[in-house]
Amino acid sequence: MDIIQRNFFRLLRSGAYHDQDDIEPMSAFKWKRLYQLVDAQQVAQTTYEGIKNHANDPNLQLPEELKDQWQQEAEMTRQQSIISSPLATFELSNYFLNRRLKGIMNAERHSIDCSGDTMNLLNIIIYNVNHILSRGINLHGIIELGKYLRKNGHKVDFVKLDTWLRKLGMQRMAQLEGSILMAVFNFQQEELPFVEHPEPAAYKLTLRTLSHTAKDTAEEWHFRQYSNGFVQNNSKVLRRNLRRSIRYFTYYPVETTSNFFSNFVKSLSEIEE
C-alpha cells in the first residue's frame, strides 16, 4: 500500500468513525491523485470530514484550490445517500434469488414481529453485493454498513438476518463486506455477528479495487454502433468485467453469473449510435 492509499484510509477512518492517525506529508500531485480515489469511490463527504478533523495537522498540506473543490463536492453529496433509508430497496440479478428476496421482504412486512432495522441492514448488504459484482468494492457502501451497525446494530435481529442470508446463499458475500470493515476500518468481529470466519482476501481485494478504479470508470461503454451500421465492442471493459466475475465467483456463484450476463445484455440494449 502506497502513501496515497494510506492517507486515503486515514481520512476515511477519521471522517466516518473519528479514528485519528497522523497524516503523512504529500506533494500537491499526490493529493490530486488521492482526490481521484475520493471521487471514484463516492466518499467526498466522509473524507472532507476527515480533513476538518485534521485541520491542525501540519502534514495536511492540501492545495487551497483542491480543498475548495473537495468542500463543494462534499456539500453536493451530503444529502444524496439513501442506502440506509427505509424506502431504499435493492434487487438481485438472478430471477429466482430475487423472487426469494421479494418473498422474504413481503413476509417480514406482514410479520407480527416485523424488524425494519433488520430489513434495512439486508438492503445495505445487497447494495454492496450489487456494486461489488458490477464495479468492484465501493467504500461508500461499506462505510454505510459500518455506520448502520454501530448506530442500529443493537436493534437488529441477527438470527433472522442469518436465516435470510442462508436462503439467499449470500453468507460469504455478507461475510466479505464485514471482513472489509475489519481489515480497513478496524472493526472487531464481535461487532459483526454475521461474520463467522473473516475472509482473508478482503484487504487485498479492497486495494485491488482502488488500484483499478480509475481505469474501470474511464470507459463505460461495452458496445457502440457507428453510422455505417457496424457495432464495435469495448473488449477491455468486457475482459475486466469477466475477470471481476471470476474473482468473486466463489463468494456468490449464481448471482455473480447472473449479474455478468445481465450487465452484458443491458450493454447490448444500450448501443450508442
Side-chain angles (χ1 to χ4, degrees):
M1 180 167 58
D2 61 27
I3 186 174
I4 297 173
Q5 293 171 339
R6 289 197 298 272
N7 278 340
F8 175 64
F9 287 137
R10 287 183 180 114
L11 290 177
L12 280 178
R13 286 193 293 267
S14 176
Y17 306 115
H18 304 290
D19 292 346
Q20 288 295 98
D21 288 325
D22 291 339
I23 297 294
E24 295 179 69
M26 294 197 307
S27 65
F29 172 77
K30 287 184 177 179
W31 276 112
K32 290 178 182 178
R33 289 286 301 275
L34 190 152
Y35 183 75
Q36 290 176 346
L37 292 180
V38 168
D39 188 47
Q41 286 288 323
Q42 303 172 308
V43 288
Q45 181 187 348
T46 302
T47 49
Y48 192 73
E49 290 298 319
I51 287 172
K52 290 193 292 184
N53 292 341
H54 284 84
N56 297 321
D57 190 331
N59 291 331
L60 188 71
Q61 300 166 358
L62 192 61
E64 283 301 319
E65 183 179 346
L66 182 61
K67 185 178 180 180
D68 292 342
Q69 182 182 352
W70 210 317
Q71 182 179 9
Q72 291 174 9
E73 183 64 23
E75 291 173 351
M76 285 176 57
T77 58
R78 187 174 298 277
Q79 303 298 329
Q80 290 181 5
S81 175
I82 62 167
I83 296 175
S84 55
S85 164
L87 300 177
T89 55
F90 302 100
E91 298 184 343
L92 296 171
S93 299
N94 183 270
Y95 171 80
F96 298 103
L97 288 177
N98 196 55
R99 188 170 68 174
R100 193 173 298 173
L101 171 62
K102 289 181 178 179
I104 288 171
M105 292 300 202
N106 288 332
E108 184 63 16
R109 289 190 187 98
H110 296 92
S111 173
I112 296 175
D113 62 340
C114 175
S115 175
D117 296 290
T118 311
M119 294 170 69
N120 285 341
L121 181 56
L122 179 62
N123 265 325
I124 298 172
I125 291 172
I126 292 172
Y127 169 89
N128 280 302
V129 167
N130 290 340
H131 208 292
I132 288 171
L133 297 183
S134 297
R135 293 175 178 269
I137 293 167
N138 176 253
L139 292 175
H140 171 62
I142 298 296
I143 288 170
E144 288 283 329
L145 175 62
K147 285 183 174 180
Y148 193 83
L149 284 166
R150 286 190 170 171
K151 182 179 179 180
N152 301 293
H154 63 287
K155 297 185 286 186
V156 171
D157 186 336
F158 285 102
V159 174
K160 190 174 285 187
L161 178 68
D162 183 66
T163 300
W164 296 346
L165 292 176
R166 291 184 185 279
K167 285 184 178 180
L168 297 170
M170 201 183 290
Q171 307 100 300
R172 281 203 67 191
M173 281 299 285
Q175 195 161 258
L176 175 63
E177 295 174 27
S179 298
I180 296 170
L181 284 172
M182 294 172 62
V184 178
F185 297 105
N186 300 327
F187 272 62
Q188 301 300 311
Q189 192 169 353
E190 305 84 67
E191 299 179 84
L192 308 161
F194 53 88
V195 178
E196 289 185 37
H197 309 288
E199 296 290 345
Y203 191 63
K204 181 179 178 181
L205 288 170
T206 303
L207 292 185
R208 183 185 180 92
T209 292
L210 290 185
S211 300
H212 290 77
T213 291
K215 288 185 287 185
D216 283 347
T217 56
E219 296 182 281
E220 292 299 326
W221 60 275
H222 294 239
F223 295 88
R224 177 171 295 168
Q225 186 173 15
Y226 294 98
S227 57
N228 59 10
F230 286 102
V231 176
Q232 178 187 355
N233 74 305
N234 187 341
S235 58
K236 289 184 179 179
V237 173
L238 194 61
R239 286 197 301 270
R240 192 155 55 237
N241 289 346
L242 180 59
R243 286 195 298 269
R244 184 188 305 115
S245 295
I246 293 172
R247 192 175 308 127
Y248 293 106
F249 181 81
T250 57
Y251 294 96
Y252 205 178
V254 176
E255 177 63 12
T256 300
T257 304
S258 297
N259 180 274
F260 175 80
F261 284 107
S262 175
N263 289 335
F264 183 82
V265 172
K266 182 180 179 181
S267 299
L268 282 174
S269 67
E270 295 179 351
I271 292 177
E272 299 178 12
E273 299 202 7

